[in-house]
């Protein structure tokens, strides 16, 4: 009964919404000219990166806080972890992982650097770093993590703190995150470099802090 | 600092900073950083309130990019009142939590980082003037609240956290789809820009967007019948967390409903006048159902949690009356009254549960003689919840009844009175039990005095606010057209 | 029909499918999948609808990038909670609400 | 019908079909794998919407990291259930 009601409601809602989409007139405001006009002052040449780290950089700041928060939430569960041991794995696979992971670091650095004028940037680069860590874990080269040590905690929060610090420093000039156009490119690259490093650790941490919550063998 | 914009920004940066510090330094020094940070935040909020009452509403273009290209922070009377309430409640709760959690416990260690992010999310939400940025702050608030409920918990806590998480995610998902439709229709998500654009002849997609956002936020506010996740989450969490959630977190999504209802969706609402009776009807149902469950609840924290379900109902009674400033004042007064009183009740209950070692109402028999201060705090908070003079709860109900009768909606006034009577029943259930002259079976556990003191401070504030509430609500006129 | 509008419609369908899934499915892992479908649907509507005349718009694109990161954070937290529940009870369904 | 529209329609139906299968297919491990395929199809859809940035992020985070998290969770469930059956 509940199933039928929900499915009928979902269908009716979809149809109504699709009908309204088809008749929707053109949007009142077009932000594209504003994005393009200010690109020169934004410090980057790629519009999406300009929106992400300059025009709407505040969203990005809070979004890193969401990621950190998820990590805190996972750690706060107090999973009774046993010591994470490495199991024996296939040698050829391990060799492959050993070769692939430095390559992935290179790809991450390229994505970070390329983000200024073409698709790429800190998030994609951080995800690739995290993928390298997951790969090393799956081939038993890197154990899962227990509670984070002081050094790891600084690594996890460092990128966010750097972002927060730069954002705050700009407040003295006028507004939160208001980069001086002459230095915007350098500041954004600095923030992105810090973020790539910490995002790699956080995203890897989402995986590695969870994976040890039960003795595998 | 003479710029209100900088004050607003610091209210968001400070809790983020001490959340990180608490994560890096551990719970001992983390708690100190948090309490210092919260003290500063309270000072900044007071300064902001004074500044705005002189100069009117203020805004701050983040990144130096004015909306609609950038994101604007904006503070008017409504935001300032919510900010004030948040810092006023968070500071005593932090002192309470510092004494509440055992040193070295995992829930104590992560309480500070999670609470810091929660407060940054709340302050950010009250200040944001951008629909998508509001989505991000909603997620900050929702996910940190879930983390706090689950921290270090057993089966019931984890299950409650999961139920809460899915409710929060579906709620913010519906909100996000609404934002997507608004961007599709207007090409902007800035509240300031949208205000004049949303007119009564808006395309149907905008109506659907408004509906999606309303339903999503009602789910997050736990308005009946979406309240199903609230009792287990608020009743099952550690006492300082329950207090934060009941006093502040559910109010954040209520605030957002109110803000969007007034503007930019004001033009749509004015066209469909009957629409305002939907929240009112659900609110009335919440009062009846929540009170009934509170009267029957065997466990004390469940009783308080169901009382929250009922009290949230009052907030939605104001919607048919929103044309008058009196109704808005009544709503905000109730947000204050319930926030302070509910924080006091949960903190007092936390002491009583620690002392008696169990959480049933029946187990409170005879506790009055042994822990008079905690019980006194519970009683004072009860006076506010029941709405007896001179408490702030009385003032809120008085304002609401006055606004209702002025517009001839006696049914709303009647609901307020019925709700008050039902509240009396469940508050007195606890007090009567505690004053029984039953011989105590077990030994009472000793607890730090700070815990009882903070519960008392919150309860006393909820009563005394009734004497100065009218002046406080005058702040609401800042930046308001009416 | 433009690509933008077509994928906006797909987004609506994904959103409702995911929403119904969260309501109807009991297994927590499936519910997490359903929530992710819901999110993807909303993202498609955001970008697709804004680009219904097939001109790229960087603003909603940046918003979706933010949204994807928020979604993965929520997914990770949900999985951690579900795994904890499974470790404690051996079940992957929520127990009946304990709300008295 | 142009080639581009044909491809879009094919992609749209593949997206809807994989989403449906992820929710309804009986075996859980299949559901997770279908979900990862869904993520990759989403990356393609983003490319069609002239959003290569999102495409990259979707492939790396949406399909890659979420997929790894889900598979790991599924593996943990299986292991624990096996332990419970044969202590």
């Amino acid at each position: 009964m509940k199933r039928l009601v929900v499915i009928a409601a979902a269908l009716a809602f979809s149809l109504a919404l699709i009908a309204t989409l088809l008749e929707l007139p053109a949007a009142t405001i077009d932000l594209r000219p504003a994005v393009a006009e200010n690109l020169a002052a934004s410090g980057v040449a790629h519009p999406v990166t300009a929106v992400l780290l300059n025009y709407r950089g505040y969203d990005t700041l809070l979004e890193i806080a969401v990621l950190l928060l998820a990590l805190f939430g996972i750690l706060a569960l107090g999973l009774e972890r046993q010591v994470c041991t490495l199991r024996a794995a296939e040698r050829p696979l391990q060799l492959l992982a050993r070769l692939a992971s430095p390559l992935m670091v290179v790809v991450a650095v390229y994505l970070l650097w390329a983000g200024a004028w073409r698709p790429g940037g800190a998030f994609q680069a951080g995800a690739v770093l995290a993928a390298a860590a997951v790969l090393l874990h799956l081939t038993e080269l890197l154990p899962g993590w227990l509670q984070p040590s002081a050094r790891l905690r600084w690594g996890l929060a460092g990128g966010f703190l750097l972002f927060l610090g730069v954002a705050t420093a700009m407040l003295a000039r006028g507004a939160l995150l208001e980069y001086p156009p002459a230095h915007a490119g350098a500041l954004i690259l600095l923030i992105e470099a810090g973020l790539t490093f910490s995002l790699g650790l956080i995203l890897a941490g989402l995986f590695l802090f969870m994976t040890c919550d039960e003795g595998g063998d | 600092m003479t710029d209100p914009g900088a004050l607003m920004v610091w209210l968001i940066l400070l809790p983020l900073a001490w959340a990180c510090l608490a994560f890096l330094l551990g719970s001992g020094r983390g708690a100190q950083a948090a309490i210092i940070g919260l003290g500063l935040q309270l000072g900044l909020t007071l300064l902001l309130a004074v500044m705005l009452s002189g100069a009117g509403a203020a805004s701050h273009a983040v990144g130096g990019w004015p909306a609609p290209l950038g994101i604007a922070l904006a503070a008017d009377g409504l935001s300032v009142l919510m900010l004030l309430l948040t810092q006023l409640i968070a500071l005593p709760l932090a002192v309470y939590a510092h004494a509440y959690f055992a040193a070295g416990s995992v829930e104590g260690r992560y309480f500070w980082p999670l609470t810091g992010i929660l407060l940054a999310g709340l302050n950010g939400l009250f200040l944001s003037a951008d629909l998508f940025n509001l989505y991000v702050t909603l997620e900050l608030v929702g996910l940190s609240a879930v983390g706090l409920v689950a921290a270090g918990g057993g089966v019931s806590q984890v299950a409650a956290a999961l139920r809460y998480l899915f409710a929060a995610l579906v709620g913010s998902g519906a909100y996000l789809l609404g934002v997507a439709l608004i961007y599709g229709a207007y090409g902007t998500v800035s509240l300031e820009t949208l205000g004049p654009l949303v007119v009564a002849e808006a395309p149907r997609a905008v109506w659907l967007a408004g509906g999606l956002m309303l339903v999503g936020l009602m789910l997050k506010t736990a308005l009946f019948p979406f309240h199903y996740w609230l009792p287990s989450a608020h009743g099952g969490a550690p006492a300082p967390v329950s207090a934060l959630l009941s006093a502040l977190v559910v109010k954040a999504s209520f605030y957002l409903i109110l803000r969007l209802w007034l503007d930019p969706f004001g033009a749509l609402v004015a066209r469909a006048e009957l629409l305002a009776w939907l929240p009112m009807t659900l609110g009335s149902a919440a009062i009846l159902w929540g009170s009934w469950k509170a009267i029957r609840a065997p466990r004390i924290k469940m009783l308080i949690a169901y009382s929250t379900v009922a009290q949230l109902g009052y907030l939605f009674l104001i919607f048919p009356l929103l044309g008058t400033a009196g109704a808005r004042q009544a709503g905000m007064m109730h947000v204050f009254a319930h926030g302070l009183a509910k924080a006091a009740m949960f903190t007092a209950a936390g002491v009583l549960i620690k002392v008696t070692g169990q959480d049933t109402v029946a187990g409170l028999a005879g506790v009055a003689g042994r822990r008079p201060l905690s019980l006194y705090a519970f009683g004072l908070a009860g006076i506010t919840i029941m709405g007896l003079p001179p408490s702030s709860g009385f003032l809120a109900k008085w304002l609401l009844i006055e606004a209702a009768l002025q517009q001839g909606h006696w049914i709303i006034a009647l609901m307020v009175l019925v709700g008050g009577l039902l509240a009396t029943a469940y508050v007195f259930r606890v007090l009567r039990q505690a004053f029984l002259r039953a011989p105590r079976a077990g030994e009472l556990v000793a607890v730090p005095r700070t815990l009882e003191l903070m519960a008392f401070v919150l309860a006393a504030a909820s009563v005394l606010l009734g004497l100065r509430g009218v002046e406080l609500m005058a702040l609401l006129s800042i930046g308001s057209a009416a | 029909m433009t690509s933008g509008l077509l994928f906006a419609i797909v987004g609506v369908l994904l959103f409702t499918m995911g929403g119904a899934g969260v309501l109807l499915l009991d297994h927590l892992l499936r519910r997490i999948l359903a929530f992710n479908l819901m999110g993807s649907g909303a993202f498609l509507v955001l970008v697709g609808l804004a680009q219904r005349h097939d001109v790229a718009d960087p603003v909603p694109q940046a918003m979706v990038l933010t949204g994807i990161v928020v979604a993965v954070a929520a997914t990770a937290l949900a999985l951690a909670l579900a795994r904890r529940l499974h470790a404690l009870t051996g079940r992957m369904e929520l127990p009946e609400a304990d709300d008295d | 019908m142009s080639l581009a529209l044909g491809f879009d329609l094919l992609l749209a139906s593949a997206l809807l079909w994989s989403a449906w299968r992820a929710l309804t297919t009986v075996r859980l491990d299949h559901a997770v794998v279908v979900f990862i395929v869904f993520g990759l199809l989403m990356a393609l859809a983003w490319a069609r919407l002239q959003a290569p940035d999102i495409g990259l992020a979707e492939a790396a985070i949406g399909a890659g990291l979420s997929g790894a998290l889900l598979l790991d969770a599924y593996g943990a469930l299986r292991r624990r259930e096996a332990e419970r059956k044969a202590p």
Side-chain angles (χ1 to χ4, degrees):
Chain A
M1 187 57 206
K2 179 190 175 193
R3 182 172 294 263
L4 271 179
V5 171
V6 169
I7 290 176
L11 273 177
F13 173 77
S14 305
L15 291 178
L17 187 48
I18 289 169
T20 64
L21 294 192
L22 293 175
E23 63 173 29
L24 194 63
T28 326
I29 292 178
D30 190 354
L31 288 177
R32 280 174 292 232
V35 171
E37 273 163 32
N38 294 301
L39 209 53
S42 76
V44 288
H46 184 50
V48 176
T49 308
V51 177
L52 204 59
L53 282 143
N54 201 333
Y55 308 143
R56 295 186 69 94
Y58 174 52
D59 273 345
T60 309
L61 181 75
L62 294 188
E63 157 204 352
I64 313 290
V66 175
L67 265 183
L68 265 179
L69 150 69
L71 194 76
F72 296 162
I74 291 170
L75 290 170
L77 276 176
L79 308 172
E80 301 125 30
R81 294 189 181 77
Q82 301 163 4
V83 182
C84 263
T85 48
L86 295 174
R87 277 160 283 177
E90 307 248 346
R91 294 304 293 250
L93 270 181
Q94 286 196 335
L95 189 68
L96 200 67
R98 274 182 211 279
L99 286 174
S101 44
L103 209 65
M104 289 167 92
V105 174
V106 174
V107 170
V109 172
Y110 171 76
L111 278 173
L112 166 66
W113 173 68
W117 75 91
R118 50 173 312 245
F123 289 97
Q124 292 87 345
V128 172
L129 282 185
V134 171
L135 184 70
L136 289 178
H137 174 74
L138 291 178
T139 50
E140 306 295 337
L141 288 167
L142 179 70
W145 292 346
L146 304 168
Q147 284 292 329
S149 63
R151 203 198 299 171
L152 182 53
R153 288 205 297 268
W154 277 99
L156 289 164
F160 179 68
L161 280 175
L162 177 73
F163 197 172
L164 203 63
V166 174
T168 313
M170 297 304 122
L171 188 60
R173 292 190 61 254
L176 182 72
L177 279 166
E178 184 177 359
Y179 311 118
H183 302 111
L187 284 172
I188 288 179
L189 191 65
L190 174 72
I191 290 173
E192 283 207 282
L195 284 186
T196 302
F197 175 72
S198 283
L199 280 173
L201 282 178
I202 295 173
L203 293 174
L206 294 183
F207 186 88
L208 293 172
F209 282 121
M210 236 193 280
T211 194
C212 278
D213 67 333
E214 58 278 311
D217 42 19
Chain B
M1 261 188 277
T2 50
D3 174 23
L7 292 181
M8 285 145 69
V9 169
W10 277 107
L11 281 174
I12 299 162
L13 294 179
L14 271 174
L16 286 176
W18 60 255
C20 281
L21 274 183
F23 174 62
L24 293 170
L25 301 177
S27 60
R29 277 183 293 170
Q32 287 165 8
I35 291 170
I36 294 170
L38 279 166
L40 285 173
Q41 283 164 234
L42 183 58
L44 291 179
T45 315
L46 288 171
L47 198 56
L48 185 65
V50 170
M51 225 180 253
L52 293 196
S53 54
S59 70
H60 178 85
V62 181
W65 304 106
L69 180 62
I71 298 168
L73 300 179
D76 58 4
L78 186 59
S79 333
V80 166
L81 279 179
M82 291 304 295
L83 288 170
L84 204 53
L85 177 71
T86 304
Q87 329 304 320
L88 270 177
I89 290 182
L91 184 58
L93 281 184
V95 176
Y96 179 92
H98 187 39
Y100 183 88
F101 289 115
S105 68
V106 66
E107 63 267 38
R109 183 153 20 126
Y110 287 99
F111 175 82
W112 302 104
L114 286 169
T115 303
I117 294 192
L118 175 71
L119 288 170
L122 286 171
N123 289 350
L125 193 148
F126 299 138
L127 287 169
S128 178
D130 180 287
L131 288 178
F132 185 78
N133 184 251
L134 279 165
Y135 163 74
V136 183
T137 59
L138 274 176
E139 294 286 28
L140 272 177
V141 171
L143 294 181
S144 51
V146 169
L148 283 168
V149 170
V155 178
S156 61
Q157 249 175 284
V158 172
L162 269 166
R163 201 169 288 118
Y164 185 11
L165 177 64
F166 282 112
L169 289 178
V170 170
S172 48
Y175 175 86
L176 180 64
L177 186 61
V179 175
L181 295 174
I182 293 285
Y183 189 88
Y186 297 111
T188 178
V189 285
S190 148
L191 285 182
E192 199 189 338
T193 319
L194 280 171
L197 288 179
V198 182
V199 290
E201 295 76 34
R204 271 190 295 169
V206 176
W207 286 86
L208 274 178
L212 277 164
M213 292 160 97
L214 180 64
V215 171
L217 291 171
M218 280 177 173
L219 180 56
K220 278 179 167 283
T221 316
L223 175 61
F224 182 90
F226 302 120
H227 67 284
Y228 64 93
W229 57 266
L230 186 142
S232 56
H234 289 198
V241 174
S242 307
L244 272 174
L245 297 187
S246 255
L248 298 175
V249 172
V250 280
K251 306 293 171 27
S253 39
F254 165 75
Y255 154 86
L256 196 48
I257 294 177
L258 184 61
R259 160 130 302 183
L260 298 179
W261 187 282
L262 293 171
D263 190 47
F265 289 111
L268 302 192
V269 177
R271 190 167 154 199
E273 269 179 43
L274 274 183
L275 200 61
W277 290 93
L278 171 76
M280 185 271 163
T281 312
L282 296 180
S284 305
I287 292 176
L288 297 177
W289 177 250
S291 303
W292 170 247
K293 292 289 278 187
I295 290 172
R296 313 252 313 165
R299 282 181 286 161
I300 179 161
K301 282 182 77 183
M302 278 302 179
L303 181 151
I304 307 175
Y306 272 112
S307 155
T308 296
V309 171
Q311 297 286 318
L312 287 171
Y314 286 104
L315 299 177
F316 289 88
L317 295 183
I318 68 169
F319 281 82
L321 311 171
L322 273 182
T324 59
R328 293 198 288 273
Q329 293 192 358
M332 282 313 287
M333 199 63 234
H334 192 265
V335 167
F336 265 75
H338 177 249
L340 289 164
K342 203 42 72 74
M345 274 194 171
F346 269 123
T347 44
V351 176
L352 297 178
I353 289 169
K354 261 192 195 251
V355 164
T356 58
Q358 45 135 341
D359 70 343
T360 58
V361 177
L364 291 177
V367 85
R370 312 289 291 274
R371 281 286 162 192
L373 189 58
S374 291
L375 211 75
Y376 191 41
F378 193 95
L380 281 179
I383 288 178
T384 306
I385 295 289
M386 291 182 282
L388 301 182
S391 71
S392 52
F394 170 74
L395 185 59
K397 286 184 174 152
W398 179 265
L399 289 169
L400 187 51
I401 290 176
E402 195 179 46
L405 292 181
Q406 248 173 27
Q407 301 188 36
H409 295 314
W410 56 268
I411 179 88
I412 294 178
L414 183 70
M415 267 326 295
V416 175
L417 293 175
V418 170
L421 285 178
L422 290 171
T424 312
Y426 60 74
V427 171
F428 271 99
R429 245 190 89 208
V430 175
L431 295 181
R432 201 188 56 208
Q433 193 67 23
F435 281 105
L436 280 182
R437 285 185 177 277
R440 288 293 319 176
E443 271 296 288
L444 292 184
V445 183
V447 292
R449 196 76 179 155
T450 322
L451 295 179
E452 297 197 272
L453 219 55
M454 287 304 124
F456 179 74
V457 164
L458 285 163
S462 82
V463 173
L464 293 178
L465 184 65
L467 304 174
R468 281 281 169 273
V470 179
E471 285 89 334
L472 186 69
M473 287 307 123
L475 283 176
L476 255 186
S477 62
I478 301 173
S480 158
Chain C
M1 179 178 288
T2 61
S3 304
L5 199 52
L6 175 67
F7 285 111
I9 291 171
V10 173
V12 170
L13 293 171
L14 287 176
F15 181 89
T16 47
M17 205 190 283
V22 175
L23 290 178
L24 294 177
L25 297 169
D26 288 326
H27 197 286
L28 288 169
L29 216 56
R30 298 260 193 192
R31 273 198 184 190
I32 294 170
L33 292 185
F35 149 70
N36 271 286
L37 295 181
M38 224 178 134
S40 295
F43 299 153
L44 274 181
V45 176
L46 182 53
V47 172
L49 198 59
Q51 299 184 174
R52 62 186 177 282
H53 304 296
D54 268 350
V55 192
D57 185 347
V59 175
Q61 292 193 9
M63 288 177 188
V64 168
L65 278 174
T66 302
I68 288 178
V69 176
V70 171
V72 80
T75 305
L77 185 60
L79 278 173
L81 286 169
R83 286 173 79 152
R84 177 82 175 141
L85 189 72
H86 190 260
L88 291 170
T89 64
R91 295 169 56 81
M92 251 331 222
E93 290 90 29
L94 281 178
E96 280 292 299
D98 163 35
D99 54 3
D100 277 315
Chain D
M1 187 164 74
S2 72
L3 192 64
L5 183 60
F7 181 77
D8 281 351
L9 283 173
L10 199 66
L11 185 54
S13 17
L15 273 171
L16 290 172
W17 182 81
S18 57
W20 176 253
R21 295 300 295 166
L23 296 186
T24 56
T25 187
V26 181
R27 281 186 55 177
L28 203 56
D29 50 345
H30 290 184
V32 173
V33 172
V34 172
F35 177 76
I36 294 172
V37 172
F38 170 82
L40 296 173
L41 290 170
M42 278 294 289
L44 266 183
W46 292 124
R48 286 291 305 145
L49 287 170
Q50 306 165 61
D53 292 88
I54 313 181
L56 273 174
E58 181 82 47
I61 299 178
L65 188 69
S66 294
L69 286 170
L70 286 162
L71 280 177
D72 193 57
Y74 174 75
L77 299 193
R78 288 296 302 273
R79 274 203 304 278
R80 212 182 285 116
E81 259 150 30
E83 272 171 41
R84 270 170 209 253
K85 273 182 198 134

